[in-house]
Amino acid sequence: MRTTTGINSRVAIEREANVGIVWIDNPPVNALNTEVRAGLWSAVESLRQDVGIEAIVLACRGRTFVAGADIGEFALPAKEPTLPVVIAALEAIGKPTIAVIHGTAFGGGLELTLGCDYRIATPDARLGLPEVRLGFIPGAGGTVRLPYLIGGLAALPMVVTGQPISSDEALALGLVDAIAAADTLVEDAIAFIRRVLVGGGKPCPVRERREQIGKTDPTLFEQEAALLTSRSGSLVAASAGVEALRNAIALPFDEALNIERETFETLKASEQSKALRHVFFAERAAAKVEGVDHDVPVRPVESVGIVGGGTMGTGIAMAFANAGLPVVLLDLNAAALAQARARLDQNYQASVTRGSLTEAQKRERLDRISLSVTYDALSTCDLVIEAAFEDMDVKKEIFSKLDRIAKPGAILATNTSYLDVNEIASATERPGDVAGAHFFSPANVMKLMEIVRGARTAPDVLMTLVELGRKIGKVPVVVGVCRGFVGNRMLAARGAESMNLLLEGASPQEVDKAFTSFGWPMGPFEMQDLAGLDISWRNRKALGQTLPLADDLCELGRFGQKTGRGYYLYEAGSRVPKPDPELATLIETKSKDMGIARRRIDPEEIIERTLYPMINEGVRILKEGIASRSSDIDLIWIHGYGFPVAKGGPMFWAETEGMSKIVVGLRHWHKKTGRDIFRPAS
Ligand code: COA
């Protein structure tokens, strides 16, 4: 007979003859908060003293094993018992122990399992140390016990990239000892630990297993470490993780453990970590749509139609096909479809060449995308996304056709970057089913999905798009209707000013350098050369707008990389931007013609004059309710435009700098330039 004793509200002990099962129950993800740690510590102490108990099983209720320490508690001083103390007690219990893993054993969760002698996992479980993504390193022995168990080389990618591994990989590495089906997991764990008892097995704590770590090849380790850290951007935690592993290899166990904890504490308090934790919670908050019940039933989406086989349409088609959904891609005629097919093939081939996709996977994904020239082919789709030319009349015509053929309940979305979603919806008899689904180029890579809520968009349409976005690996953010929505509206505020900087004395390379030093992957001019200058030129012309210098470049046929010249010069076949003396002359002449005196412009001014107007626009957007939260704006900029994630997004960065400093800066530039983009939002 089994008996259960509650230790506290989150931890209980179930006794099954001579085996004690410690249950953690802290929904939704069994995060190790103070209550759980206190319960675990008491449970371990009680089972240690219980002479009737000979072995211990550690398991979790709910949808997952422990998914990590409670990130929400990191802003406060750690309360006793800390996780290292709990794990040390578990490790020293003197009776065989086994952790039972389903769902995810992440961060502190994985570290907790390393305090046990054995681990058993379900086939779909994932194990990882994602701390680096939150700006710190594991602080409860992860960088020491993990390499003790699986060797320094195998531990390296887990610590430096934070990428989890599957239970099969974990089994192969020796991180788990057995795999068992979810419905018999705990029973199998009990049977496993009883076999250990029958075999007379004495517990062998991980801290005493130096065999694997001793085999770590130092040259290979350093080579691999250099490669992985070089790919980690400017994350301090990535190189700190390598250093912690070096300590585990070179130093006695306790010494390495103490240094790990000190580093963890230091990094946890760093600006980078605060920013990354902000992003973690921002992503979760964005899944909640203001004014919409989180539990509203979503519409099933099992097939997707795309109208328009251009760069955006094919990118969006790939995003869905990559996630396993069948896609129908529609374009005007066979020639356009042939181009779309070639584009798809080329994009997938690039992944095969890079080694990130096999030939068979490429074929499988391409097979999921069928091409058509007739709207009828979209009549069975649950969602249709229009990705046609950015012109209101074109879009309205498409939507009136979709209205006629789409099945009842189908969601009709537009990928417009600027246009009024309400006007597009008015072309249909079902505006409640219409929303914006704004992807960012390349749509199969960039994670942002701006979901635009029209005045009449139904709540379940919004929730369906949010859930679907998450399912295909995007970061969906719901925004309201205005020209350019959140991202492009803020970008416009920045764009005009980068051009003014050139006219006043900066070179494209100076502006771009200031951006990359700030942490952007590339500056605005290199970016425009990559995207093609002609697109926004055409857009401006359609709206009767002009932009000095940018227009001049386009009139000279300087469209960027595709023509070998833009803000930079590109040698044949090369994508490396080189300064162009001809452009320097062109800019100087333009400044002269416009009566602008050129001067030296330092990087601080470049950052202030480009970022401050963006932040100012962000404040206006919040005041108008176009974005529901400032953290939504941060996500849009991180996932759609490459704002450095380690700075937490433009609005978080502004708070870190101090909003008053930004306002003083805006007033200063407003006075100096007279430009409205610097007028502080009241
Ligand atoms: N600490 C505190 N809260 C956490 C958490 C953690 N380690 N992990 C998840 N949560 C919360 C989320 O904020 C969310 O809360 P909400 O519903 O109030 O918004 C809830 O748990 C569910 O998380 P969510 O990410 O929406 O669920 P999911 O099923 O998509 O993913 C995980 C589950 C575990 C894969 C994912 O939450 C995750 O990766 N968590 C972080 C793990 C981590 O970094 N651990 C190391 C910390 S040291």
Side-chain angles (χ1 to χ4, degrees):
M1 203 187 73
R2 292 190 179 184
T3 54
T4 303
T5 320
I7 299 292
N8 63 14
S9 65
R10 299 288 169 227
V11 177
I13 297 175
E14 190 178 5
R15 287 179 170 77
E16 150 79 51
N18 59 345
V19 176
I21 309 159
V22 180
W23 284 105
I24 301 173
D25 188 5
N26 186 26
V29 296
N30 287 312
L32 287 165
N33 62 9
T34 307
E35 182 87 356
V36 174
R37 295 196 309 273
L40 278 175
W41 193 86
S42 304
V44 168
E45 200 44 32
S46 152
L47 291 172
R48 188 178 64 79
Q49 290 172 14
D50 190 333
V51 286
I53 294 294
E54 293 176 68
I56 287 112
V57 172
L58 178 63
C60 287
R61 304 274 185 208
R63 68 193 220 213
T64 178
F65 188 77
V66 173
D70 187 332
I71 304 168
E73 284 189 352
F74 282 3
L76 315 162
K79 286 205 184 121
E80 294 290 339
T82 61
L83 190 54
V85 169
V86 173
I87 293 173
L90 181 63
E91 192 171 46
I93 198 166
K95 305 175 185 188
T97 49
I98 183 165
V100 173
I101 303 167
H102 72 291
T104 48
F106 280 176
L110 183 60
E111 291 177 300
L112 187 63
T113 74
L114 294 171
C116 294
D117 303 318
Y118 304 98
R119 283 142 295 276
I120 185 167
T122 54
D124 60 354
R126 289 182 304 139
L127 299 87
L129 292 174
E131 284 86 345
V132 62
R133 296 177 184 180
L134 298 168
F136 49 86
I137 64 167
T143 66
V144 187
R145 288 190 185 89
L146 185 66
Y148 269 48
L149 201 57
I150 66 175
L153 260 181
L156 194 56
M158 291 182 73
V159 171
V160 179
T161 70
Q163 189 68 29
I165 59 170
S166 66
S167 44
D168 275 345
E169 289 167 284
L171 184 70
L173 290 172
L175 177 53
V176 301
D177 303 276
I179 295 197
D183 50 358
T184 58
L185 190 61
V186 173
E187 298 314 314
D188 286 358
I190 295 171
F192 184 106
I193 210 74
R194 287 222 166 100
R195 281 197 298 277
V196 171
L197 286 176
V198 170
K202 289 259 173 292
C204 178
V206 174
R207 61 176 289 146
E208 285 167 22
R209 304 186 208 172
R210 273 210 68 101
E211 194 191 332
Q212 291 301 325
I213 198 166
K215 288 185 193 159
T216 309
D217 179 322
T219 314
L220 278 182
F221 178 89
E222 289 305 331
Q223 273 171 3
E224 190 63 14
L227 185 74
L228 292 173
T229 41
S230 73
R231 288 187 191 148
S232 73
S234 51
L235 285 184
V236 178
S239 28
V242 174
E243 190 54 28
L245 286 171
R246 283 194 195 107
N247 291 340
I249 295 165
L251 302 176
F253 181 87
D254 286 320
E255 211 174 309
L257 210 64
N258 290 340
I259 301 177
E260 178 203 68
R261 187 71 186 174
E262 276 167 30
T263 312
F264 160 79
E265 291 290 356
T266 308
L267 290 180
K268 198 178 73 169
S270 69
E271 291 304 325
Q272 258 193 15
S273 176
K274 284 181 199 156
L276 291 166
R277 269 146 42 202
H278 161 74
V279 175
F280 175 84
F281 286 116
E283 286 178 2
R284 270 87 201 151
K288 292 165 190 120
V289 184
E290 209 188 22
V292 175
D293 180 359
H294 195 55
D295 296 326
V296 64
V298 296
R299 302 186 188 183
V301 177
E302 273 149 26
S303 59
V304 180
I306 314 268
V307 182
T311 311
M312 283 313 288
T314 46
I316 299 169
M318 288 172 75
F320 285 103
N322 294 350
L325 280 150
V327 178
V328 180
L329 185 64
L330 184 98
D331 213 318
L332 290 175
N333 50 46
L337 283 185
Q339 274 188 8
R341 170 60 82 197
R343 202 173 278 127
L344 288 167
D345 201 81
Q346 208 179 354
N347 287 347
Y348 278 129
Q349 191 52 44
S351 305
V352 173
T353 311
R354 260 201 317 273
S356 56
L357 208 67
T358 65
E359 193 64 48
Q361 285 169 324
K362 169 188 155 185
R363 186 85 347 256
E364 205 180 306
R365 291 177 191 200
L366 275 174
D367 286 348
R368 284 194 199 118
I369 307 173
S370 55
L371 307 178
S372 177
V373 287
T374 55
Y375 271 77
D376 283 347
L378 303 175
S379 63
T380 53
C381 294
D382 300 311
L383 162 70
V384 182
I385 301 175
E386 164 278 314
F389 192 62
E390 194 71 346
D391 177 284
M392 184 54 88
D393 292 336
V394 172
K395 304 228 181 236
K396 281 170 106 170
E397 195 189 324
I398 292 172
F399 271 77
S400 75
K401 281 189 189 152
L402 290 176
D403 194 24
R404 284 197 293 278
I405 61 98
K407 68 180 187 186
I411 297 176
L412 307 180
T414 169
N415 178 53
T416 180
S417 330
Y418 288 95
L419 301 177
D420 184 343
V421 172
N422 292 325
E423 194 178 338
I424 296 174
S426 74
T428 73
E429 297 291 321
R430 38 173 136 176
D433 293 343
V434 179
H438 182 206
F439 290 81
F440 288 72
S441 190
N444 53 315
V445 178
M446 297 304 281
K447 289 180 84 181
L448 177 63
M449 190 175 159
E450 257 182 343
I451 296 171
V452 188
R453 172 190 215 153
R456 295 174 66 185
T457 308
D460 64 336
V461 166
L462 291 173
M463 282 317 293
T464 305
L465 289 173
V466 168
E467 202 178 287
L468 185 66
R470 282 175 65 118
K471 188 171 152 193
I472 64 168
K474 300 289 176 199
V475 177
V477 182
V478 175
V479 300
V481 177
C482 68
R483 188 166 170 76
F485 315 117
V486 173
N488 282 343
R489 178 168 155 185
M490 286 169 71
L491 182 67
R494 177 184 102 179
E497 206 45 29
S498 1
M499 208 56 71
N500 288 325
L501 285 165
L502 295 195
L503 290 166
E504 289 172 36
S507 65
Q509 45 282 18
E510 280 167 343
V511 175
D512 284 350
K513 179 77 186 35
F515 270 68
T516 49
S517 305
F518 183 81
W520 295 84
M522 63 174 75
F525 295 111
E526 206 186 328
M527 176 60 100
Q528 287 179 63
D529 271 2
L530 180 70
L533 274 58
D534 49 326
I535 301 166
S536 35
W537 184 45
R538 254 190 281 126
N539 201 2
R540 282 196 297 277
K541 282 216 256 190
L543 294 167
Q545 294 173 347
T546 57
L547 186 58
L549 207 58
D551 291 347
D552 299 295
L553 259 69
C554 290
E555 267 146 33
L556 290 169
R558 301 181 65 122
F559 293 161
Q561 276 192 20
K562 60 175 124 178
T563 56
R565 272 162 189 240
Y567 289 102
Y568 293 94
L569 199 60
Y570 301 86
E571 278 161 13
S574 163
R575 291 178 164 213
V576 180
K578 297 226 160 121
D580 182 357
E582 209 176 277
L583 180 84
T585 315
L586 188 90
I587 299 176
E588 275 166 34
T589 312
K590 191 77 193 174
S591 305
K592 208 165 168 191
D593 291 351
M594 293 175 74
I596 300 170
R598 294 181 66 78
R599 62 187 169 85
R600 226 202 86 70
I601 296 183
D602 61 32
E604 289 73 31
E605 180 176 340
I606 293 172
I607 292 301
E608 285 192 13
R609 283 179 54 186
T610 49
L611 274 190
Y612 287 11
M614 263 178 57
I615 293 159
N616 205 22
E617 203 56 38
V619 174
R620 290 197 180 105
I621 282 169
L622 277 173
K623 290 195 167 154
E624 291 167 27
I626 300 293
S628 324
R629 324 169 179 91
S630 137
S631 61
D632 283 356
I633 300 180
D634 289 332
L635 290 183
I636 287 172
W637 273 84
I638 289 167
H639 295 299
Y641 300 84
F643 190 97
V645 62
K647 286 198 162 64
M651 307 311 278
F652 182 83
W653 179 78
E655 293 289 350
T656 317
E657 288 284 291
M659 269 298 179
S660 52
K661 181 179 166 197
I662 311 283
V663 172
V664 169
L666 282 166
R667 287 213 179 98
H668 169 78
W669 292 115
H670 185 233
K671 206 162 144 197
K672 215 156 172 163
T673 65
R675 281 193 280 278
D676 251 11
I677 51 161
F678 292 119
R679 190 193 299 277
S682 54

